[in-house]
Amino acid sequence: PQATSPMQSDGEECVVTCGPPALGPHPGGNGESIRAWQDKVLAERPKGTPLLRDLSWTANSPEFRSSHWEGPFDAVQCLRTSADSRWSSRQDSFEGGFPVEDTWILFDLNEQQTVLEIRLINYWSYNDAFSFKALSVETASSIEGPFVTAATYRDLPRASVAAYCYLEVNPPVRAQFWRLSFLENYGASATGIYGIDFCVASAPSPRGDLNLLYDRRKSSF
């Protein structure tokens, strides 16, 4: 994986570790087998332990996302395990690479967790202009906020360059409510994510497992 050092709002430096390119639209992410994906992610060994995904982390309601594209692209879809499940903001929520309105998705981890790294699978529709390019990670102690920016990441690679990225949270932040606010994309009329994983300092049982990330029953691919 390649690593870059994006900007962070508080002046600290966060490392972004990027995965291999997506060679075509999802499902599948690229032309490799599930076994090849497993081998790669096991070799990457992200910081912390990935929490086992829980569909209760978000909801298809205004409290949990700014908007959604009509059809099967609502918030919970980015936590489901089918190969093409994802959340997308509404059509025309972006113009010229920038949001025309606040564009975000919220996750409630059900209890406070100390997050070291967040793994995001980037968005690819009929092309990867929908990929996110810049975003902020924000936290709060309640769903109503107020939200505080933990880190801002810029110049993130599009899906054809990196199918997913590990976003380091430096220093680590302990919180229950996590919001992704999208600041730029690569020129399409919306943006979104195919999947998200929170890597934490310690995880309750059952733990997430890197093998689960690419199991068709338990992952985005």
Side-chain angles (χ1 to χ4, degrees):
Q2 61 185 17
T4 60
S5 297
M7 297 170 58
Q8 187 184 15
S9 59
D10 61 5
E12 296 292 332
E13 188 175 83
C14 285
V15 174
V16 174
T17 305
C18 300
L23 302 181
H26 295 273
N30 64 21
E32 294 181 302
S33 67
I34 297 299
R35 175 60 61 185
W37 276 98
Q38 284 182 331
D39 291 343
K40 283 190 175 182
V41 79
L42 286 170
E44 289 162 6
R45 292 292 177 188
K47 296 179 180 179
T49 303
L51 290 174
L52 191 65
R53 289 189 189 181
D54 190 326
L55 296 183
S56 71
W57 284 354
T58 191
N60 300 334
S61 63
E63 294 84 7
F64 284 90
R65 63 349 183 210
S66 56
S67 66
H68 72 99
W69 196 292
E70 290 186 8
F73 308 117
D74 215 335
V76 173
Q77 299 304 314
C78 73
L79 296 172
R80 294 194 183 277
T81 60
S82 59
D84 60 351
S85 295
R86 72 267 201 189
W87 166 75
S88 172
S89 61
R90 72 170 183 86
Q91 187 175 13
D92 298 326
S93 57
F94 272 71
E95 183 178 358
F98 296 94
V100 299
E101 61 196 24
D102 291 342
T103 301
W104 50 268
I105 184 170
L106 178 79
F107 299 93
D108 174 3
L109 301 185
N110 298 318
E111 62 180 334
Q112 288 192 343
Q113 297 283 357
T114 301
V115 174
L116 308 179
E117 204 164 43
I118 297 172
R119 177 178 176 273
L120 288 181
I121 303 174
N122 214 334
Y123 199 94
W124 188 315
S125 183
Y126 52 84
N127 63 47
D128 70 345
F130 292 83
S131 298
F132 53 75
K133 185 178 181 181
L135 60 90
S136 288
V137 172
E138 303 161 343
T139 63
S141 58
S142 72
I143 195 170
E144 294 86 9
F147 282 85
V148 176
T149 300
T152 298
Y153 307 86
R154 301 188 186 277
D155 297 320
L156 296 169
R158 60 201 300 158
S160 60
V161 175
Y164 58 89
C165 292
Y166 291 97
L167 307 180
E168 181 188 34
V169 181
N170 180 29
V173 174
R174 185 170 179 82
Q176 178 175 340
F177 296 91
W178 293 77
R179 188 170 70 182
L180 305 180
S181 290
F182 296 88
L183 309 176
E184 293 183 61
N185 72 359
Y186 280 87
S189 61
T191 195
I193 56 174
Y194 266 80
I196 184 169
D197 294 288
F198 292 89
C199 298
V200 301
S202 60
S205 184
R207 296 179 177 221
D209 186 292
L210 293 176
N211 283 301
L212 301 182
L213 299 177
Y214 294 112
D215 184 290
R216 283 196 181 277
R217 296 166 299 173
K218 302 173 180 177
S219 78
S220 290
F221 289 106

